[in-house]
Amino acid sequence: MADHIVTAYDTELQTLGRKIAEMGGIAEKMLSDAMDALVALDVDLAQAVVASDPRLDVLQRDIESASIMTIARRQPMAVDLREIVAAIRVSGDLERVGDLAKNIAKRAVKIATEPRVPRAVIGLKHMNELAANQLKDVLDAYAERDVERAQAVWTRDSELDALEDSIFRDLLTFMMEDPRNISFCTHLLFCSKNIERVGDHATNIAETVFYLATGDTLPLDRPKLRSGGSLVPTPEAQDEP
Amino acid sequence: MADHIVTAYDTELQTLGRKIAEMGGIAEKMLSDAMDALVALDVDLAQAVVASDPRLDVLQRDIESASIMTIARRQPMAVDLREIVAAIRVSGDLERVGDLAKNIAKRAVKIATEPRVPRAVIGLKHMNELAANQLKDVLDAYAERDVERAQAVWTRDSELDALEDSIFRDLLTFMMEDPRNISFCTHLLFCSKNIERVGDHATNIAETVFYLATGDTLPLDRPKLRSGGSLVPTPEAQDEP
């Protein structure tokens, strides 16, 4: 009987893990497709990104309710409880990544008819690749319970923040050069903010991997690249600039 | 013994409720102070807003871990389980409202030395009052388990979306009028987005009140004011514009 209970419990955990892996795959694809749609101003691709989002929402609701039911039914303690809390948190982060990718896709549709500023998209594409790598790495770290890899993601987030700063300044320059660039570049500003927030969700997941492995939390202050390039902790990393 | 268990459980729920009320008070004050700081470009007040945020983060972590422990220990079912799930969700939304208010406060500091565009702030102030009212109403609805009041908040969110649209257009106009307005107005664009997202969190809480009372979810599509002014459901309400 004890065996049976353990097996059923393991099956529940495996199902949670499989659903999170599915969410991760969808979120990664949405993010990369959204950027492709933005670069090519490809309205069809953008609409496909928007259409993928409801699946992510359904998966997140499923994971949340299955997790809560498992906690209530099995009364797991210590690492088992952390497994389930981690599943709830990671699925919440992935659902938000999907929303952010969807928002980029919608902006691609909105600016498809605007005068283009091709130079302005280059930095954004680079930034998106960095964020996509962070997301991929941290999902691998989560799948393998690899704390070191998670911490590396957590530390690297400062690069994304620095890049957003520089893109912000570039976009302001393009807007000042020619008022016809303003509307286009304004949407790109929001896209850049969205990508930076994808990075924040990757660091949230890194923190969850750390919590899962150690039962502890990473310090509230994340390291942030200051202009000098040195890594110093600052409490302001979460929502800059 | 049964009595004792019930009482301890009730005490745990009351503690959760008290902590959420404290979070609500802090979040409301941060939001209103952040806007006052933005209107007056009051750097001291802005910094006070930033300084209130860690308390919100601590409360949210407390509520989350206390809730999970209560679920594991008491194995609540049906409405009791929903009470605790609702507490986790609402505290998550209030923590995010604090982040958004903090971000507005930080932007007030950043633009304190920019050339001002006083006209540009008027719409924002009005929008913030609307969002603050939504937040207050939905927290009252949560405290009183008042589903009708929660649904009214949920429906009214479309007004906030419409207002953001109009502020977005105004700010673009100010930027096109004079390139010196661009930096200032860009920060206001993000502030407007932040306020709109406070509204989204108010509607999330409204959905939680509905779930708490009925065990059901509101439809995924929120009503949205289209240009004609009629209320039509659209799946795009969550992250526009």
Side-chain angles (χ1 to χ4, degrees):
Chain A
M1 187 61 192
D3 252 8
H4 171 71
I5 290 171
V6 171
T7 307
Y9 180 63
D10 286 347
T11 308
E12 286 174 26
L13 283 188
Q14 278 164 11
T15 306
L16 281 181
R18 214 167 28 240
K19 283 188 178 172
I20 285 178
E22 184 185 347
M23 284 191 81
I26 295 172
E28 286 185 55
K29 184 164 166 31
M30 284 176 76
L31 188 63
S32 114
D33 284 355
M35 184 49 61
D36 288 346
L38 190 72
V39 170
L41 297 182
D42 180 338
V43 172
D44 290 341
L45 184 58
Q47 279 162 348
V49 171
V50 174
S52 326
D53 192 53
R55 174 70 187 146
L56 221 44
D57 294 342
V58 167
L59 280 166
Q60 195 234 333
R61 287 194 176 191
D62 280 1
I63 290 169
E64 194 191 63
S65 54
S67 300
I68 300 279
M69 291 314 294
T70 301
I71 295 174
R73 210 162 33 210
R74 313 271 177 211
Q75 310 151 57
M77 284 291 145
V79 69
D80 287 338
L81 181 58
R82 293 207 298 273
E83 281 282 348
I84 300 172
V85 172
I88 298 175
R89 288 189 188 161
V90 172
S91 70
D93 282 308
L94 290 174
E95 191 267 332
R96 289 296 301 142
V97 169
D99 283 346
L100 294 164
K102 181 174 73 168
N103 188 269
I104 294 173
K106 285 184 181 178
R107 291 183 190 277
V109 175
K110 283 190 184 176
I111 61 180
T113 56
E114 297 272 341
R116 305 179 58 170
V117 193
R119 283 178 302 161
V121 189
I122 297 169
L124 221 55
K125 195 171 150 54
H126 175 54
M127 190 182 172
N128 199 60
E129 280 159 6
L130 215 70
N133 280 340
Q134 289 280 85
L135 186 62
K136 191 191 170 307
D137 268 9
V138 83
L139 287 173
D140 288 347
Y142 174 66
E144 295 156 21
R145 310 297 189 246
D146 183 338
V147 177
E148 270 180 46
R149 197 162 174 182
Q151 279 182 299
V153 168
W154 191 78
T155 306
R156 264 200 316 271
D157 187 59
S158 50
E159 293 174 30
L160 221 45
D161 291 336
L163 203 51
E164 198 212 352
D165 252 15
S166 123
I167 288 172
F168 183 83
R169 279 191 297 269
D170 283 349
L171 289 172
L172 285 195
T173 309
F174 297 136
M175 291 197 262
M176 287 176 191
E177 272 173 21
D178 186 342
R180 283 170 302 179
N181 295 343
I182 287 178
S183 177
F184 185 87
C185 289
T186 294
H187 284 291
L188 296 191
L189 272 179
F190 279 109
C191 290
S192 147
K193 188 79 203 157
N194 287 345
I195 299 168
E196 188 254 342
R197 286 177 56 218
V198 169
D200 287 342
H201 288 290
T203 62
N204 287 350
I205 297 174
E207 287 169 12
T208 298
V209 174
F210 189 84
Y211 156 82
L212 183 53
T214 66
D216 227 333
T217 48
L218 281 167
L220 279 169
D221 300 352
R222 275 192 290 133
K224 187 175 166 69
L225 265 182
R226 285 280 168 82
S227 43
S230 69
L231 277 169
V232 291
T234 155
E236 303 176 355
Q238 194 65 33
D239 57 1
E240 285 288 318
Chain B
M1 187 62 190
D3 254 7
H4 172 72
I5 288 170
V6 170
T7 308
Y9 180 62
D10 286 347
T11 309
E12 287 175 23
L13 283 187
Q14 279 164 10
T15 306
L16 281 181
R18 212 167 30 239
K19 284 188 175 171
I20 286 178
E22 185 185 347
M23 284 191 82
I26 295 172
E28 286 184 56
K29 182 161 167 37
M30 284 176 74
L31 188 63
S32 115
D33 284 354
M35 184 49 62
D36 287 346
L38 190 72
V39 170
L41 296 182
D42 180 337
V43 172
D44 290 342
L45 183 58
Q47 280 163 347
V49 171
V50 174
S52 326
D53 192 53
R55 174 71 188 146
L56 222 43
D57 295 341
V58 167
L59 280 166
Q60 195 234 335
R61 287 193 176 192
D62 280 1
I63 289 170
E64 194 191 62
S65 54
S67 300
I68 300 279
M69 291 314 293
T70 301
I71 295 174
R73 209 160 38 210
R74 313 272 178 209
Q75 311 152 55
M77 285 290 146
V79 70
D80 286 339
L81 182 57
R82 292 207 299 273
E83 281 282 349
I84 299 171
V85 172
I88 297 174
R89 288 188 187 162
V90 172
S91 70
D93 283 308
L94 290 174
E95 191 268 332
R96 289 296 300 143
V97 169
D99 283 345
L100 294 164
K102 181 174 73 168
N103 188 269
I104 293 172
K106 285 185 180 179
R107 290 182 190 281
V109 175
K110 283 190 184 178
I111 61 180
T113 56
E114 297 271 341
R116 304 179 58 167
V117 192
R119 282 177 304 161
V121 189
I122 298 168
L124 220 55
K125 195 172 150 55
H126 175 53
M127 190 181 172
N128 199 61
E129 280 160 8
L130 216 69
N133 279 340
Q134 289 280 85
L135 186 62
K136 191 192 170 307
D137 267 11
V138 83
L139 288 173
D140 288 348
Y142 175 66
E144 294 156 21
R145 310 298 190 245
D146 183 339
V147 177
E148 269 179 46
R149 196 161 173 184
Q151 279 182 299
V153 168
W154 191 78
T155 306
R156 265 200 315 269
D157 188 58
S158 50
E159 292 174 31
L160 220 43
D161 291 335
L163 203 51
E164 198 212 352
D165 251 15
S166 123
I167 288 172
F168 183 82
R169 278 190 298 269
D170 282 350
L171 289 172
L172 285 195
T173 309
F174 295 136
M175 291 197 260
M176 287 177 192
E177 271 174 19
D178 186 342
R180 285 170 300 179
N181 294 344
I182 288 178
S183 177
F184 185 87
C185 288
T186 295
H187 284 290
L188 296 190
L189 272 178
F190 279 108
C191 290
S192 147
K193 186 78 202 161
N194 287 344
I195 298 168
E196 188 254 342
R197 286 178 55 217
V198 169
D200 287 342
H201 289 289
T203 62
N204 287 350
I205 297 174
E207 287 169 12
T208 299
V209 175
F210 189 83
Y211 156 82
L212 183 54
T214 65
D216 229 334
T217 48
L218 280 165
L220 279 170
D221 300 352
R222 274 191 290 133
K224 186 178 166 69
L225 267 180
R226 285 279 169 85
S227 43
S230 69
L231 276 170
V232 290
T234 152
E236 302 174 1
Q238 193 65 32
D239 56 1
E240 286 288 319

